[in-house]
């Protein structure tokens, strides 16, 4: 039983890491702009597609060892999706900033449909095989079994999350972001260029989303145009669970949602003596979410309602 | 009012300019997904039917009348399917249809075809479609009852495997076919250790598979779609669950082997309604003609499209008048020797001898399992 438990913890960590990475994008944008960026799931989806094209182009050019190719393709995906994120904010959200919160949100929904259908039309709607980036070999550990891909995902996610935390808390540019998220008006009065902070957030968030997309595609071996909306919704849930607007909250929410889902699949039938089957996984997962929100409406690590958020409500 | 009259006159003029149909031509409609994720399956049916009608015209058509085949794309979407059905109904020259490929698309369209008394040959496989009392339909292809029963008999009888786990995606198709497998497997002396439901768009089955591993089954039957079949197969082999994997017809595509990887797909069993294209001289001949006509080998359902066309043409051949009533009167009585063997219909419109075939993945390819 203990090895079974351990095995399930490994699965929960792997999927939770991916949810957490995507949730970061939702939470950072919300923190500063009070905007739910519905297009964020599509950046996650675009990551593996762009990675595949870059890899194909690099292989066609030739001359580089495969490891260098992979690293270059990963960096290109991060930067290109990040730049796309900045462009989306600049042209689809910023002009609507003066028109309350509904207009940018609808614009984000539209952007999501545009990006998803662009891939659907140009590449095709069918799922495409995605090769494993790290060789996928199983390792026996304490009675459970972990694959190198799972370890790779976990390691990469932890490094990215630690890097982001250090960046936001420890650097001067990070201070801009935190200041902008605390109070837009005050920080601009203090001479912080809030628009730069916003652009930076729209670079980092989609970039991290793209990384999560590459990990996800490499883990499951496929990518498809609809994966952004399906997984994006889960990650958005994770962001709310952890407390939207809070960076550690998004990470916690991701791992927690992963754990709840795995628990719902692996232990619900055992705990209930077979009365409740695996098909109730989502019922269980979202019931937990509702319960958490009932007792902590701002999410687990979310800030409680401040004057600032009350002011923001006037926008409606 | 006036404007709309002009517009509709224009539309009619345009339509007749696009598809010039002489008064004596016989028109059959056909519909399947010709774009989207299932286009490979749908287009192959359309191609197969087109091939038959071309050949028929070379031999002089039906009683000297040229046959025109009019294929329309339903995108595997029930909403689009009902629009297509209405379009066929509204075109008086269409006197028979081969439609649709997906059970979910066929279901709402049945009522529309029936209301305009359209003779319909159904390629979809859900058993319920023929039990709704419509008098306008026949189905040459085997339904899902047969598809679930065949592998159950094979593994419990020939392979002697007795401990199975069922996984289904909670859809009408997936849950239904898993239920049929269960019934037949238990009849063969087998035991079902557990039934698990997943979501139709799930991609992560690892937690579930770890649970299944504890049951230590020797058979896993999965009633689901693609890519879920491939993903489940890959993830269960990754966790070193070596039970016999069985899936339904949707998995009968090279994508399954590609997405699960050839090494992990090895030994998986899948059911399909058609024999391999090299299994009879007629089918070899069909393959060659398909290659000559379209410049590519026949797709997965091409021979079925051909057979469906044979059936509707056979009904028209015997019809006293070349209209819907004439064809409908003969549809249920059709007895034909088709490319895939004899076809005759029972009172529900099901083919009494429709076969199903079992395939195994061997060296990265599908191979027929001989009984």
């Amino acid at each position: 039983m203990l090895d079974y438990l351990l095995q399930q913890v490994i699965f929960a960590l792997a999927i939770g890491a991916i949810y957490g990475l995507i949730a970061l994008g939702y939470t950072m944008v919300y923190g500063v702009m009070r905007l739910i960026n519905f297009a964020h799931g599509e950046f996650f989806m675009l990551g593996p597609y762009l990675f595949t094209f870059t890899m194909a182009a690099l292989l066609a050019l030739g001359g580089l060892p495969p490891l260098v190719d992979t690293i270059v393709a990963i960096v290109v995906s991060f930067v290109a999706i990040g730049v796309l994120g900045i462009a989306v904010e600049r042209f689809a959200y910023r002009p609507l900033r003066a028109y309350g919160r509904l207009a940018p949100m609808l614009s984000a929904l539209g952007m999501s449909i545009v990006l998803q259908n662009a891939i659907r039309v140009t590449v095709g709607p069918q799922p495409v095989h995605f090769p494993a980036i790290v060789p996928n070999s199983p390792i026996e550990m304490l009675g459970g079994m972990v694959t190198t891909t799972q370890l790779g995902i976990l390691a990469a996610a932890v490094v990215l999350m630690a890097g982001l935390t250090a960046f936001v808390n420890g650097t001067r540019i990070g201070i801009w972001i935190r200041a902008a998220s605390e109070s837009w008006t005050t920080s601009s009065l203090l001479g912080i260029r809030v628009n730069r902070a916003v652009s930076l957030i729209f670079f980092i968030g989609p970039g991290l989303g793209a990384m999560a997309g590459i990990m996800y595609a490499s883990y499951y071996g496929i990518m498809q145009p609809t994966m952004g909306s399906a997984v994006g919704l889960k990650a958005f849930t994770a962001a709310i669970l952890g407390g939207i607007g809070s960076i550690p909250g998004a990470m916690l929410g991701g791992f927690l949602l992963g754990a709840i889902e795995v628990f719902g699949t692996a232990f619900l039938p055992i705990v209930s003596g077979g009365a409740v089957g695996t098909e109730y996984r989502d019922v269980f997962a979202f019931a937990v979410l509702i319960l958490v929100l009932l007792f902590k409406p701002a999410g687990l690590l979310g800030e409680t309602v401040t004057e600032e958020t009350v002011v923001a409500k006037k926008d409606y | 009012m006036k404007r709309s009259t002009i517009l509709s006159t224009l539309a009619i003029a345009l339509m007749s300019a696009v598809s010039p149909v002489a008064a004596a031509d016989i028109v059959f409609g056909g519909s399947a997904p010709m774009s989207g994720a299932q286009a490979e399956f749908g287009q192959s049916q359309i191609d197969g039917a087109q091939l038959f009608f071309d050949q028929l015209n070379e031999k002089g058509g039906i009683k000297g009348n040229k046959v025109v085949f009019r294929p329309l794309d339903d995108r595997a979407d029930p909403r689009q399917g009902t629009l297509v059905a209405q379009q066929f109904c509204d075109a008086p020259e269409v006197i028979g249809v081969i439609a649709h490929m997906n059970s979910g698309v066929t279901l709402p369209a049945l009522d529309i075809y029936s209301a305009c008394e359209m003779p319909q040959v159904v390629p979809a496989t859900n058993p319920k479609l023929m039990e709704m009392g419509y008098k306008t339909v026949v189905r040459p292809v085997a339904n899902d009852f047969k598809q679930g029963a065949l592998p159950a008999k094979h593994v419990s009888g020939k392979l002697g495997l007795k401990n199975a786990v069922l996984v289904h995606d909670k859809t009408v198709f997936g849950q239904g076919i898993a239920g049929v497998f269960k019934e037949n497997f238990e009849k063969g002396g087998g035991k079902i250790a557990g039934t698990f439901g997943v979501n139709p768009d799930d991609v992560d089955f690892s937690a579930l598979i770890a649970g299944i591993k504890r049951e230590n089954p020797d058979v896993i039957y999965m009633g689901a779609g693609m890519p879920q079949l491939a993903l489940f197969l890959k993830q269960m082999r990754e966790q070193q669950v070596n039970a016999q994997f069985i899936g339904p017809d949707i998995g009968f595509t090279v994508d399954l082997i590609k997405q699960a990887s050839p090494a992990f797909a090895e030994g998986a069993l899948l059911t399909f309604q058609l024999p391999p294209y090299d299994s009879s001289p007629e089918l070899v001949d069909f393959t060659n003609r398909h290659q000559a006509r379209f410049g590519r080998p026949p797709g997965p359902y091409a021979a079925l499209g051909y057979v469906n066309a044979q059936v509707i043409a056979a009904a028209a051949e015997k019809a006293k008048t070349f209209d819907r009533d004439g064809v409908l009167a003969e549809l249920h009585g059709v007895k034909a020797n088709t490319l895939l063997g004899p076809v005759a219909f029972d009172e529900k419109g099901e083919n009494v001898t429709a076969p199903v075939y079992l395939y195994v993945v061997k060296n990265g390819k599908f191979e027929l399992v001989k009984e």
Side-chain angles (χ1 to χ4, degrees), chain B residues 252 254 257 262 266-268 359-368:
Chain B
F252 188 74
V254 282
I257 300 171
E266 187 76 12
Y359 289 83
V360 64
V361 178
K362 220 174 206 179
N363 301 322
K365 281 194 178 117
F366 290 106
E367 224 178 84
L368 186 69

Side-chain angles (χ1 to χ4, degrees), chain A:
Chain A
M1 192 64 196
L2 190 70
D3 52 340
Y4 181 61
L5 186 76
L6 197 77
Q7 182 70 67
Q8 298 295 3
V9 169
I10 293 169
F11 294 140
L13 284 176
I15 187 70
I18 293 174
Y19 287 157
L21 271 184
I22 314 169
L24 282 174
Y26 283 106
T27 223
M28 289 196 322
V29 168
Y30 185 87
V32 175
M33 299 178 70
R34 303 284 181 265
L35 162 74
I36 295 163
N37 181 15
F38 281 109
H40 187 64
E42 310 311 329
F43 297 122
F44 161 81
M45 176 271 294
L46 285 169
Y49 277 95
L50 197 68
F51 177 84
T52 311
F53 291 132
T54 319
M55 273 306 260
L58 287 173
L59 287 177
L61 287 173
L64 291 169
L67 182 68
V68 180
D69 272 350
T70 311
I71 293 171
V72 171
I74 288 177
V75 173
V76 166
S77 307
F78 190 108
V79 174
I81 302 288
V83 170
L84 179 69
I86 294 177
V88 165
E89 191 272 331
R90 182 71 190 79
F91 297 110
Y93 303 159
R94 195 175 295 180
L96 296 171
R97 226 182 251 167
Y99 301 97
R101 289 162 72 185
L102 265 183
M105 198 172 84
L106 286 180
S107 179
L109 264 179
M111 208 59 228
S112 156
I113 295 170
V114 166
L115 292 173
Q116 190 184 125
N117 281 285
I119 290 295
R120 200 187 275 265
V121 171
T122 50
V123 187
Q126 67 281 6
V128 187
H129 174 64
F130 188 93
I133 295 176
V134 284
N136 192 20
S137 44
I139 304 166
E140 296 280 344
M141 235 174 64
L142 304 164
M145 199 181 60
V146 57
T147 64
T148 43
T149 313
Q150 286 162 345
L151 282 180
I153 286 176
L154 208 52
V158 168
V159 167
L160 286 172
M161 287 176 184
L164 181 71
T165 311
F167 176 74
V168 171
N169 290 330
T171 65
R172 210 161 165 76
I173 315 174
I175 293 175
W176 297 356
I177 295 180
R178 279 186 295 148
S181 103
E182 205 150 291
S183 169
W184 184 290
T185 351
T186 316
S187 46
S188 67
L189 283 173
L190 288 173
I192 292 172
R193 295 184 187 174
V194 180
N195 277 333
R196 285 211 184 156
V198 168
S199 288
L200 195 65
I201 280 166
F202 269 94
F203 179 79
I204 298 172
L208 289 178
M211 293 300 100
I214 294 171
M215 289 178 199
Y216 181 89
S218 164
Y219 187 26
Y220 297 116
I222 59 161
M223 54 183 180
Q224 60 191 88
T226 51
M227 67 192 242
S229 40
V231 185
L233 188 68
K234 293 266 175 70
F236 177 55
T237 312
I240 293 182
L241 188 62
I244 194 151
S246 152
I247 289 176
M251 301 177 193
L252 178 72
F255 284 114
L256 210 57
L257 186 68
I260 292 170
E261 274 194 1
V262 166
F263 178 85
T265 312
F267 296 100
L268 212 52
I270 300 176
V271 172
S272 69
V276 181
T278 52
E279 58 270 28
Y280 286 93
R281 185 196 72 187
D282 284 357
V283 176
F284 175 73
F286 285 89
V288 170
L289 175 80
I290 293 170
L291 270 180
V292 169
L293 290 183
L294 277 180
F295 290 103
K296 283 199 72 105
L300 291 173
L301 300 184
E303 318 151 27
T304 39
V305 182
T306 62
E307 207 176 321
E308 167 77 349
T309 43
V310 172
V311 172
K313 272 188 189 145
K314 270 200 240 151
D315 298 345
Y316 280 113

Side-chain angles (χ1 to χ4, degrees), chain B residues 4-122:
Chain B
S4 70
T5 328
I6 297 169
L7 270 179
S8 54
T9 325
L10 250 174
I12 290 167
L14 266 175
M15 263 164 68
S16 48
V18 174
S19 52
V21 179
D25 283 354
I26 294 174
V27 183
F28 294 123
S31 187
M34 291 154 74
S35 60
Q38 300 185 36
E40 183 198 358
F41 288 94
Q43 187 66 48
S44 73
Q45 285 192 2
I46 300 290
D47 288 350
Q50 185 69 57
L51 190 63
F52 174 78
F53 290 126
D54 285 356
Q55 250 178 286
L56 195 65
N57 284 332
E58 276 166 32
K59 288 182 197 153
I62 295 174
K63 291 182 184 158
N65 298 296
K66 190 168 167 269
V67 177
V68 176
F69 183 52
R70 188 181 293 170
L72 288 176
D73 185 2
D74 65 26
R75 297 185 217 151
D77 179 353
R79 287 164 296 180
Q80 185 65 22
T82 50
L83 288 178
V84 165
Q86 197 57 54
Q87 217 169 325
F88 282 141
C89 275
D90 292 346
E93 70 274 15
V94 177
I95 61 167
V97 293
I98 303 169
H100 296 253
M101 185 184 98
N102 305 76
S103 298
V105 181
T106 310
L107 196 61
L110 279 175
D111 203 42
I112 299 171
Y113 289 124
S114 159
C116 69
E117 308 212 304
M118 179 73 83
Q120 185 186 2
V121 177
V122 176

Side-chain angles (χ1 to χ4, degrees), chain B residues 70-346:
Chain B
R70 188 181 293 170
L72 288 176
D73 185 2
D74 65 26
R75 297 185 217 151
D77 179 353
R79 287 164 296 180
Q80 185 65 22
T82 50
L83 288 178
V84 165
Q86 197 57 54
Q87 217 169 325
F88 282 141
C89 275
D90 292 346
E93 70 274 15
V94 177
I95 61 167
V97 293
I98 303 169
H100 296 253
M101 185 184 98
N102 305 76
S103 298
V105 181
T106 310
L107 196 61
L110 279 175
D111 203 42
I112 299 171
Y113 289 124
S114 159
C116 69
E117 308 212 304
M118 179 73 83
Q120 185 186 2
V121 177
V122 176
T125 54
N126 190 302
K128 282 200 184 123
L129 296 176
M130 291 288 140
E131 283 164 6
M132 300 174 65
Y134 291 110
K135 302 290 176 214
T136 46
V137 289
V138 293
R139 171 157 66 188
V141 70
N143 68 31
D144 291 341
F145 282 142
K146 291 191 174 164
Q147 213 195 143
L150 176 72
K153 283 178 194 144
H154 180 77
V155 290
S156 66
K158 202 170 176 196
L159 301 184
L161 305 175
K162 299 290 179 197
N163 188 24
V165 158
L166 302 176
V167 180
H168 63 75
D169 63 0
K170 297 190 271 186
T171 61
V172 177
F173 170 76
Q175 201 162 358
I177 201 163
V180 177
F181 179 89
K182 176 181 177 198
E183 202 177 290
N184 285 278
F185 190 73
E186 284 173 342
K187 243 187 252 166
K191 259 212 181 97
I192 304 292
T195 305
F196 300 93
V198 296
N199 284 349
D201 53 358
D202 270 353
V203 292
D204 191 328
F205 303 106
S206 43
L208 174 64
I209 291 166
I212 289 176
K213 201 174 176 182
R214 287 155 54 91
E215 307 282 352
N216 203 14
D218 39 34
V219 178
I220 295 179
Y221 186 87
M222 185 170 189
M226 281 293 280
Q228 280 68 30
L229 287 166
L231 289 170
F232 188 92
L233 180 56
K234 175 171 177 258
Q235 290 168 24
M236 74 180 243
R237 296 291 186 239
E238 273 173 359
Q239 289 196 40
Q240 290 157 1
V241 175
N242 296 317
Q244 174 67 55
F245 179 86
I246 312 171
D249 53 353
I250 310 174
F252 188 74
T253 151
V254 282
D255 283 344
L256 178 98
I257 300 171
K258 243 194 266 169
Q259 288 167 8
S261 88
F264 285 153
E266 187 76 12
L269 287 171
L270 292 141
T271 45
F272 199 63
Q273 295 88 350
L274 269 57
Y277 284 118
D278 57 1
S279 60
S280 75
E282 291 83 15
L283 278 164
V284 171
D285 180 49
F286 169 77
T287 309
N288 294 337
R289 275 186 283 125
H290 193 285
Q291 181 76 41
R293 168 72 170 77
F294 298 107
R296 56 176 186 272
Y301 276 132
L304 178 63
Y306 189 93
V307 168
N308 289 337
Q310 277 182 300
V311 168
I312 195 89
E317 195 86 49
K318 282 166 78 187
K320 292 183 185 71
T321 52
F322 287 137
D323 53 21
R324 290 177 193 170
D325 288 344
V327 177
L328 196 54
E330 301 299 331
L331 190 62
H332 279 256
V334 165
K335 281 193 178 57
N337 209 355
T338 67
L339 182 64
L340 299 174
V343 168
F345 300 106
D346 63 12

